[in-house]
Amino acid sequence: MTFIKNQRRLIAMLACTTFILSACSAPSGVVNNNNPAPSTGAAGVSKAKTKVTWLQYWKSEVGEKPLNDLKAGFEAKNPDIELDIQDMPFSQMHDKLVTLHAAGNVPDLILLTSPWVAEFAASGITEPLDTYYNAMPKEFQTSNEGPYWSPWKGKHYGMGFITGNTALFYNKKKLAEANLTPPTTWDEYRSASIKLADASKNKFAFTGNMASEPPSTINTELWPFILQAGGKLTENNKAVFNSPEGVKALEFYKGLIKTDKVATPGELSAGEKEKRSNFSAENTAFMFDGPWGIAIQKTANPNLDFGVVPMPKGAVGATIAGGGAIGMMSKSKNKDAAWKVMTYMMEPSTQIAWAKATNNFPHNKTALKDDYIQKNPLLKVFADQNESLKPINPDLQLPESTVMRKIMINEIQNYLTDKKTAQQALDDAATGWNAVFDKYK
């Protein structure tokens, strides 16, 4: 009888334990890092590995192999850590990260696109990295002080993995037929554009693209002109682009489109897709794009003979940086192990291997000196601009980048359609930006 009672008691305890474990498990789609993976240590003794989860959105773009190779390379050097690489569509990731942070059930590391860096820093989603970074050797610090090592209110929240900057792509055949060399200044760019364009024959120098949705074109199509005119976009968390230099940049841009008529029509509705399609179809002679545009063009039109040169110079030379960074979640339970993953991803050899496998461009300055970059005449242009122009990534200073981009694009559209002067449009855009900045004082 006692045996039967004990057996019933054991069954009840097991049922209760099962219920508790079930209740504590993470709901579907939520990362859970509380279950370390077992590993075998010396003399066959089992010990727990630390699991570091990295949530990213690259799988659909680069495939599984580069991600698997990165995982294998890291784990070979760090046998006590398991790198769990999870994938999510880009369109879903932003809102998912906000939800996971609120719930407290987060991945350790995340892939950051430029507009998220300041936003997530300001909202406490990501962890400041300065303490970890400052403890690293000087060589590590110097190599990784590229465009993404940019502070938000005195602290840094992202380590650059891939980067790039905007340069001028040109159609070699079209320029040769017009007896032109690639332009190096604003005046040369305008003169060449006029010679290459003939609206009556459906020939254009570049794509007019200032669509408000998505608000992604302004960083390559207009921001560089403001910097080249000698202006700035922001200073001390305040908009300063409504300057004489900003007005000069807008007037130059509008002159090309409305006066010289060298751009494709429909500039208020065209975006990056149309820009790249027109260039690959040889409907246009010029295009501003980053190093990622090289593979896009070679895939779209393998027979296209194009070159890349630095951005045309205005009062000064300038370009805009972009790319992707790695961030650490502030509620990560494995921050020291996560930092080990980050340092591995910042190594020159890791970034060069990724660049070769995915046609991306490394952020690490030492990696940019590799023969893979320096002996490729297309890639070398971007590496040289990175060194000589020290490009900035304005998104890293915008706490609501998407909103702020839309504010500026809408005002630029008002200027292009003669609803406002250049000064009025920039003043109103600056007012909108400063209202956003005021929320984060």
Side-chain angles (χ1 to χ4, degrees), residues 169 290-299 306 308 376 378-379 382:
F169 287 57
W292 39 82
I294 296 172
I296 292 172
Q297 292 304 316
K298 288 183 175 180
T299 300
F306 68 92
V308 179
N376 183 318
L378 299 180
L379 292 176
F382 298 99

Side-chain angles (χ1 to χ4, degrees), residues 113-243:
T113 187
S114 300
W116 300 349
V117 176
E119 176 191 351
F120 285 178
S123 58
I125 291 176
T126 46
E127 177 79 4
L129 302 172
D130 301 82
T131 299
Y132 290 104
Y133 181 87
N134 292 337
M136 298 297 291
K138 185 64 178 178
E139 181 182 358
F140 175 92
Q141 296 179 26
T142 302
S143 293
N144 288 289
E145 288 177 347
Y148 265 101
W149 192 246
S150 177
W152 169 254
K153 292 194 173 182
K155 295 182 179 180
H156 299 78
Y157 294 84
M159 293 292 294
F161 187 52
I162 65 169
T163 191
N165 51 70
T166 299
L168 177 64
F169 287 57
Y170 68 95
N171 184 304
K172 290 184 177 181
K173 183 179 72 173
K174 285 182 177 293
L175 266 66
E177 290 174 347
N179 197 28
L180 293 169
T181 57
T184 61
T185 67
W186 279 17
D187 288 342
E188 290 177 4
Y189 180 66
R190 178 173 181 258
S191 177
S193 294
I194 292 172
K195 290 180 180 180
L196 289 163
D198 186 344
S200 66
K201 297 179 180 179
N202 208 33
K203 293 169 57 178
F204 300 98
F206 62 90
T207 299
N209 56 321
M210 195 53 65
S212 58
E213 287 294 343
S216 57
T217 60
I218 197 167
N219 62 323
T220 55
E221 307 305 314
L222 187 60
W223 286 353
F225 283 139
I226 295 176
L227 300 183
Q228 290 158 12
K232 295 181 179 180
L233 293 172
T234 64
E235 191 170 49
N236 298 323
N237 294 330
K238 183 179 180 181
V240 294
F241 51 73
N242 54 330
S243 61

Side-chain angles (χ1 to χ4, degrees), residues 17 63 87 95 123 146 194 198 232 345 374 403 420:
T17 302
D87 190 80
D95 292 348
S123 58
I194 292 172
D198 186 344
K232 295 181 179 180
M345 295 175 75
Q374 294 297 319
V403 172
K420 295 182 180 181

